[in-house]
Amino acid sequence: MQKVLVTGGCGYIGSHTIVDLIDNGFEVISIDNLSNSDEKALAGIRKITGKSAKNYRVDLCEANKTRRVFEQNPGIVGIIHFAALKSVEESVFQPLRYFHNNNESLVNILSCAQEFGVPNVIFSSSCSVYGNAKELPVTETTAFQEAECPYARTKQMGEKIIEDFCKVTKEVRAISLRYFNPAGAHESAFIGESPRNKASNLVPVITETAIGKRESMTVFGSDYDTRDGSCVRDYIHVMDIAAAHTACLQYLLGSKNTAPSEIFNVGIGDGVTVLEAIHAFEKVTGQKLNYTIGPRRAGDVVSIYANRDKAERLLGWVPKRGIDEIMRSAWAWQVKNAPKN
Ligand code: NAD
Ligand code: WQD
């Protein structure tokens, strides 16, 4: 079996991707320091797949400890690098912590790929690299605008670090995947999104409100120039994101890449407004949501959604689930994992 290293494998997208990799015949190990997760996700992975993924509790900023994992695991064919800090708000107040964690861990991973002869690297980037995009839908060649926060800047820098590295390091090729708004959970509800900090993303806010963890929620702005006045986003099911990684890995393993480093958008390719998302939740679950319309949230872009043609054309990747399945699975996860009292 081909061995893949997933960093951040106990986190939200990493754990779902491990399931898809195992389902596609890969053996997986993880490095995760559990700074935003715990190893419960590994038990969920085992329940779903019947197979185990070992996690090394190592901080990827510690180069020597990271090297040791590679020494103990010869023959890794690919690295999928999810590990990062991801809070937009926190990054504004702790920029150095974000640059240190997200960029140094990436540099260490690339150094190990080179030193230990791992030929394929996949990097978690984000639609936040586009900033306030000047054209919609955004394609991979749409110019970056000013990053809205230090977190987004770590992703812009991460992509550039990879590009510079792969230009001169012919034995390593890489792909950066720009995810749009990941949401939902595995259909079994054995794994899902369980942030250590208070949720601020729309879908977990919706499910936490419906289950009664919050009394009500606020729609941030209803006077935008959109079809119903609320912001437009591209919500993409986490299992579709997972499948995009497997498709990328197979593409790289088959030497189908067209350049030393490439970039793909990973979104559904369509925009959904906040109010449409809420109505989808109410329709699919039969729950009435207690929400009010409030002021705009600082830093929000009005609309962003992906052109995903490149991923379909080159990777053969097409998302299979829409907003209804996102809401159904996120709700099943919430119901199964809500505290019982
Ligand atoms: P997550 O926080 O659930 O997972 C990240 C994991 O990385 C966590 O388990 C954390 O403990 C681990 N980690 C962080 N720093 C580490 C370090 N220095 N050493 C070892 N482990 C470390 O986040 P996620 O939602 O699964 O996101 C995965 C990746 O996707 C991140 O790079 C994130 O920036 C990117 N991304 C996420 C979203 C989103 O909305 N969830 C959108 C676009 C891009
Ligand atoms: C979605 C929409 C809110 C909560 C963030 C990061 C981005 C990427 C994905 C990592 C917006 C509205 C939300 C609420 C609301 N992450 N909303 N009430 O801001 O599009 O993107 O996650 O790379 O970098 O910025 O996601 O889920 O926070 O918001 O009305 O209580 O829902 O205003 O329009 P966002 P989000």
Side-chain angles (χ1 to χ4, degrees):
M1 259 200 277
Q2 292 178 304
K3 194 186 274 190
V4 180
L5 168 64
V6 168
T7 75
C10 299
Y12 174 43
I13 308 175
S15 57
H16 288 78
T17 301
I18 291 178
V19 167
D20 198 69
L21 289 167
I22 292 175
D23 283 349
N24 281 281
F26 290 99
E27 180 188 346
V28 184
I29 58 164
S30 160
I31 298 181
D32 194 314
N33 65 356
L34 310 183
S35 58
N36 194 37
S37 56
D38 61 45
E39 288 186 345
K40 274 192 208 144
L42 301 178
I45 292 169
R46 209 165 27 247
K47 276 193 198 153
I48 297 168
T49 64
K51 303 232 167 73
S52 298
K54 178 180 162 85
N55 183 57
Y56 293 83
R57 188 172 183 177
V58 165
D59 184 336
L60 291 155
C61 295
E62 295 194 45
N64 283 335
K65 288 190 180 161
T66 303
R67 287 187 71 259
R68 225 162 289 146
V69 177
F70 283 83
E71 280 166 359
Q72 289 167 18
N73 290 279
I76 293 170
V77 298
I79 301 167
I80 308 185
H81 181 50
F82 292 103
L85 297 172
K86 64 165 180 178
S87 162
V88 167
E89 197 185 352
E90 190 179 65
S91 78
V92 172
F93 297 101
Q94 303 177 13
L96 294 186
R97 183 168 164 240
Y98 271 68
F99 290 121
H100 170 68
N101 190 76
N102 293 3
N103 297 128
E104 285 189 33
S105 62
L106 173 63
V107 169
N108 285 341
I109 276 296
L110 294 176
S111 306
C112 286
Q114 184 171 30
E115 179 181 348
F116 293 92
V118 181
N120 305 302
V121 175
I122 299 169
F123 171 65
S124 297
S125 186
S126 159
C127 66
S128 61
V129 298
Y130 292 110
N132 243 311
K134 292 214 171 8
E135 59 185 36
L136 285 176
V138 288
T139 72
E140 291 79 356
T141 52
T142 299
F144 286 0
Q145 300 302 317
E146 186 65 19
E148 291 286 320
C149 62
Y151 164 75
R153 209 181 301 280
T154 69
K155 295 297 180 186
Q156 291 182 340
M157 289 166 70
E159 287 192 9
K160 295 294 176 196
I161 289 168
I162 287 173
E163 189 185 322
D164 288 344
F165 170 76
C166 288
K167 246 184 235 161
V168 293
T169 314
K170 292 286 176 266
E171 55 284 12
V172 182
R173 54 232 161 151
I175 288 179
S176 294
L177 293 181
R178 293 177 180 161
Y179 320 143
F180 280 66
N181 286 55
H186 189 268
E187 57 178 5
S188 65
F190 286 136
I191 53 172
E193 187 170 13
S194 35
R196 275 182 191 264
N197 303 327
K198 200 167 175 246
S200 61
N201 289 122
L202 180 65
V203 175
V205 167
I206 289 176
T207 58
E208 287 185 4
T209 306
I211 203 98
K213 269 195 185 177
R214 302 164 187 252
E215 252 176 42
S216 76
M217 62 163 289
T218 307
V219 173
F220 297 139
S222 61
D223 56 352
Y224 287 105
D225 184 16
T226 62
R227 49 187 178 264
D228 61 20
S230 62
C231 291
V232 172
R233 295 289 184 275
D234 182 327
Y235 298 94
I236 170 86
H237 196 286
V238 66
M239 287 310 296
D240 281 324
I241 299 190
H245 291 82
T246 308
C248 263
L249 189 61
Q250 285 161 341
Y251 172 82
L252 289 169
L253 287 168
S255 298
K256 294 184 182 142
N257 57 304
T258 57
S261 68
E262 286 179 288
I263 290 167
F264 292 95
N265 281 341
V266 179
I268 196 106
D270 199 10
V272 170
T273 70
V274 176
L275 289 168
E276 287 166 352
I278 288 175
H279 296 147
F281 175 82
E282 291 183 326
K283 182 191 77 183
V284 169
T285 64
Q287 301 289 314
K288 193 89 198 88
L289 201 67
N290 190 13
Y291 67 90
T292 54
I293 307 289
R296 294 179 175 197
R297 180 173 73 175
D300 264 339
V301 300
V302 182
S303 295
I304 187 153
Y305 52 97
N307 175 313
R308 58 168 183 78
D309 292 353
K310 186 177 173 192
E312 179 166 358
R313 186 165 38 86
L314 294 181
L315 304 175
W317 174 80
V318 178
K320 296 194 180 112
R321 305 155 183 89
I323 192 72
D324 288 357
E325 181 51 23
I326 285 175
M327 293 304 182
R328 195 206 61 73
S329 60
W331 181 237
W333 165 251
Q334 180 73 70
V335 168
K336 197 163 177 175
N337 294 284
K340 298 286 174 269
N341 47 25

Short mmCIF file of all heavy atoms in Angstrom, two decimals, residues 31 41 52 77 84 122 124-125 129 145 148 153-154 156 159 177 186 190 232 235 257 263 275 288 304 320 328:
data_model
loop_
_atom_site.label_atom_id
_atom_site.label_comp_id
_atom_site.label_asym_id
_atom_site.label_seq_id
_atom_site.Cartn_x
_atom_site.Cartn_y
_atom_site.Cartn_z
N ILE A 31 0.46 13.77 11.25
CA ILE A 31 1.16 14.57 12.27
C ILE A 31 0.20 15.67 12.68
O ILE A 31 -0.26 16.44 11.83
CB ILE A 31 2.46 15.22 11.74
CG1 ILE A 31 3.46 14.15 11.28
CG2 ILE A 31 3.07 16.12 12.80
CD1 ILE A 31 4.79 14.73 10.77
N ALA A 41 -11.15 12.02 16.60
CA ALA A 41 -11.40 11.88 15.16
C ALA A 41 -10.83 10.55 14.64
O ALA A 41 -11.40 9.94 13.74
CB ALA A 41 -10.79 13.05 14.40
N SER A 52 -6.93 1.88 10.83
CA SER A 52 -6.40 2.90 11.73
C SER A 52 -5.43 3.82 11.01
O SER A 52 -4.73 3.39 10.09
CB SER A 52 -5.63 2.24 12.87
OG SER A 52 -6.49 1.45 13.61
N VAL A 77 4.76 8.45 -0.18
CA VAL A 77 4.64 8.87 -1.59
C VAL A 77 4.06 10.28 -1.74
O VAL A 77 4.16 10.89 -2.80
CB VAL A 77 3.79 7.88 -2.43
CG1 VAL A 77 4.42 6.50 -2.46
CG2 VAL A 77 2.33 7.81 -1.94
N ALA A 84 -2.54 24.04 10.13
CA ALA A 84 -2.41 25.50 10.16
C ALA A 84 -3.36 26.03 11.21
O ALA A 84 -4.30 25.35 11.62
CB ALA A 84 -2.76 26.10 8.80
N ILE A 122 0.65 18.34 -1.38
CA ILE A 122 -0.61 19.07 -1.60
C ILE A 122 -0.82 20.02 -0.42
O ILE A 122 -0.69 19.61 0.74
CB ILE A 122 -1.81 18.09 -1.73
CG1 ILE A 122 -1.57 17.15 -2.93
CG2 ILE A 122 -3.12 18.86 -1.92
CD1 ILE A 122 -2.53 15.97 -3.01
N SER A 124 -3.06 23.07 1.65
CA SER A 124 -4.38 23.68 1.88
C SER A 124 -4.28 25.18 1.73
O SER A 124 -3.79 25.87 2.64
CB SER A 124 -4.85 23.42 3.31
OG SER A 124 -5.02 22.07 3.56
N SER A 125 -4.76 25.69 0.62
CA SER A 125 -4.88 27.14 0.51
C SER A 125 -6.35 27.50 0.69
O SER A 125 -7.15 26.67 1.15
CB SER A 125 -4.31 27.61 -0.83
OG SER A 125 -4.31 29.03 -0.86
N VAL A 129 -7.30 34.00 -0.36
CA VAL A 129 -6.16 34.60 -1.08
C VAL A 129 -6.64 35.62 -2.11
O VAL A 129 -5.90 36.53 -2.48
CB VAL A 129 -5.25 33.56 -1.81
CG1 VAL A 129 -4.63 32.59 -0.83
CG2 VAL A 129 -6.01 32.81 -2.91
N GLN A 145 -6.08 40.19 -4.49
CA GLN A 145 -6.18 41.55 -3.96
C GLN A 145 -5.53 41.55 -2.58
O GLN A 145 -5.11 40.51 -2.09
CB GLN A 145 -7.65 41.98 -3.88
CG GLN A 145 -8.37 41.97 -5.23
CD GLN A 145 -7.68 42.87 -6.26
OE1 GLN A 145 -7.28 43.99 -5.95
NE2 GLN A 145 -7.51 42.35 -7.48
N GLU A 148 -7.22 40.26 3.43
CA GLU A 148 -8.10 40.94 4.40
C GLU A 148 -7.61 40.75 5.83
O GLU A 148 -8.08 41.41 6.74
CB GLU A 148 -9.52 40.38 4.29
CG GLU A 148 -10.24 40.75 2.99
CD GLU A 148 -10.70 42.20 2.95
OE1 GLU A 148 -11.18 42.69 3.99
OE2 GLU A 148 -10.57 42.83 1.90
N ARG A 153 -2.99 36.23 4.46
CA ARG A 153 -1.64 36.49 3.96
C ARG A 153 -0.75 35.25 4.11
O ARG A 153 0.09 34.97 3.26
CB ARG A 153 -1.02 37.70 4.67
CG ARG A 153 -0.01 38.44 3.80
CD ARG A 153 0.63 39.62 4.49
NE ARG A 153 -0.30 40.63 4.93
CZ ARG A 153 -0.83 41.56 4.13
NH1 ARG A 153 -0.53 41.61 2.86
NH2 ARG A 153 -1.66 42.47 4.62
N THR A 154 -0.95 34.48 5.19
CA THR A 154 -0.13 33.26 5.33
C THR A 154 -0.40 32.31 4.16
O THR A 154 0.49 31.59 3.73
CB THR A 154 -0.37 32.50 6.67
OG1 THR A 154 -1.69 31.89 6.68
CG2 THR A 154 -0.17 33.37 7.89
N GLN A 156 -1.48 33.30 1.04
CA GLN A 156 -0.85 33.89 -0.17
C GLN A 156 0.65 33.57 -0.15
O GLN A 156 1.22 33.15 -1.16
CB GLN A 156 -1.04 35.41 -0.18
CG GLN A 156 -2.48 35.87 -0.42
CD GLN A 156 -2.61 37.39 -0.47
OE1 GLN A 156 -1.75 38.12 0.04
NE2 GLN A 156 -3.71 37.88 -1.05
N GLU A 159 1.46 29.78 -0.84
CA GLU A 159 1.44 29.42 -2.27
C GLU A 159 2.73 29.87 -2.97
O GLU A 159 3.28 29.16 -3.82
CB GLU A 159 0.24 30.08 -2.96
CG GLU A 159 -1.08 29.44 -2.61
CD GLU A 159 -2.21 29.93 -3.51
OE1 GLU A 159 -1.93 30.63 -4.52
OE2 GLU A 159 -3.38 29.61 -3.22
N LEU A 177 -4.53 23.79 -3.17
CA LEU A 177 -5.98 23.74 -3.38
C LEU A 177 -6.61 24.90 -2.63
O LEU A 177 -6.44 25.03 -1.42
CB LEU A 177 -6.54 22.41 -2.85
CG LEU A 177 -6.12 21.15 -3.62
CD1 LEU A 177 -6.77 19.92 -3.00
CD2 LEU A 177 -6.51 21.25 -5.09
N HIS A 186 -19.13 13.91 7.54
CA HIS A 186 -19.26 12.58 6.92
C HIS A 186 -20.68 12.06 7.17
O HIS A 186 -21.25 12.28 8.24
CB HIS A 186 -18.22 11.62 7.52
CG HIS A 186 -18.17 10.32 6.79
ND1 HIS A 186 -18.93 9.23 7.17
CD2 HIS A 186 -17.50 9.94 5.68
CE1 HIS A 186 -18.70 8.23 6.33
NE2 HIS A 186 -17.84 8.64 5.41
N PHE A 190 -19.89 10.07 12.28
CA PHE A 190 -18.82 9.65 13.21
C PHE A 190 -17.70 10.69 13.26
O PHE A 190 -16.91 10.72 14.19
CB PHE A 190 -18.23 8.29 12.80
CG PHE A 190 -19.14 7.14 13.10
CD1 PHE A 190 -19.32 6.13 12.16
CD2 PHE A 190 -19.81 7.04 14.31
CE1 PHE A 190 -20.15 5.05 12.43
CE2 PHE A 190 -20.65 5.97 14.58
CZ PHE A 190 -20.83 4.97 13.63
N VAL A 232 -23.01 36.38 -0.43
CA VAL A 232 -22.99 35.16 -1.23
C VAL A 232 -21.66 34.43 -1.03
O VAL A 232 -20.59 35.03 -1.11
CB VAL A 232 -23.17 35.51 -2.73
CG1 VAL A 232 -22.95 34.29 -3.61
CG2 VAL A 232 -24.55 36.11 -2.98
N TYR A 235 -20.47 27.28 -0.65
CA TYR A 235 -20.35 26.26 0.40
C TYR A 235 -20.09 24.91 -0.25
O TYR A 235 -20.87 24.45 -1.08
CB TYR A 235 -21.63 26.22 1.25
CG TYR A 235 -21.85 27.54 1.95
CD1 TYR A 235 -22.68 28.52 1.37
CD2 TYR A 235 -21.21 27.85 3.14
CE1 TYR A 235 -22.86 29.76 1.98
CE2 TYR A 235 -21.38 29.09 3.75
CZ TYR A 235 -22.21 30.03 3.16
OH TYR A 235 -22.37 31.26 3.76
N ASN A 257 0.73 16.04 -13.93
CA ASN A 257 0.81 17.48 -13.68
C ASN A 257 1.43 18.20 -14.87
O ASN A 257 2.28 17.65 -15.58
CB ASN A 257 1.60 17.77 -12.40
CG ASN A 257 2.99 17.20 -12.43
OD1 ASN A 257 3.17 16.01 -12.63
ND2 ASN A 257 3.97 18.05 -12.27
N ILE A 263 -2.29 25.13 -9.20
CA ILE A 263 -3.31 25.63 -8.27
C ILE A 263 -4.68 25.25 -8.79
O ILE A 263 -4.93 25.33 -10.00
CB ILE A 263 -3.18 27.16 -8.17
CG1 ILE A 263 -1.89 27.51 -7.43
CG2 ILE A 263 -4.38 27.80 -7.47
CD1 ILE A 263 -1.47 28.93 -7.51
N LEU A 275 -29.24 33.92 3.65
CA LEU A 275 -30.66 33.59 3.87
C LEU A 275 -31.05 32.30 3.15
O LEU A 275 -31.81 31.49 3.69
CB LEU A 275 -31.54 34.77 3.43
CG LEU A 275 -31.44 35.99 4.34
CD1 LEU A 275 -32.09 37.23 3.72
CD2 LEU A 275 -32.08 35.70 5.71
N LYS A 288 -37.15 25.13 12.87
CA LYS A 288 -37.31 26.57 12.65
C LYS A 288 -36.14 27.26 13.35
O LYS A 288 -35.87 27.02 14.51
CB LYS A 288 -38.65 27.02 13.28
CG LYS A 288 -39.09 28.39 12.88
CD LYS A 288 -39.96 28.38 11.60
CE LYS A 288 -40.03 29.76 10.98
NZ LYS A 288 -38.95 30.04 10.03
N ILE A 304 -18.42 35.82 -3.12
CA ILE A 304 -17.31 35.10 -3.76
C ILE A 304 -17.75 33.67 -4.05
O ILE A 304 -18.40 33.03 -3.22
CB ILE A 304 -16.00 35.15 -2.93
CG1 ILE A 304 -14.85 34.52 -3.74
CG2 ILE A 304 -16.14 34.52 -1.57
CD1 ILE A 304 -13.49 35.04 -3.41
N LYS A 320 -20.22 16.37 -5.61
CA LYS A 320 -21.45 15.57 -5.76
C LYS A 320 -22.58 16.06 -4.86
O LYS A 320 -23.69 15.57 -4.95
CB LYS A 320 -21.15 14.11 -5.37
CG LYS A 320 -20.14 13.43 -6.28
CD LYS A 320 -20.19 11.92 -6.01
CE LYS A 320 -19.20 11.18 -6.87
NZ LYS A 320 -18.10 10.60 -6.11
N ARG A 328 -27.96 18.74 5.93
CA ARG A 328 -28.42 17.47 6.50
C ARG A 328 -27.30 16.81 7.32
O ARG A 328 -27.50 16.40 8.46
CB ARG A 328 -28.88 16.52 5.38
CG ARG A 328 -29.70 15.33 5.86
CD ARG A 328 -29.63 14.13 4.93
NE ARG A 328 -28.26 13.61 4.79
CZ ARG A 328 -27.61 12.94 5.71
NH1 ARG A 328 -28.16 12.70 6.89
NH2 ARG A 328 -26.36 12.52 5.51
#
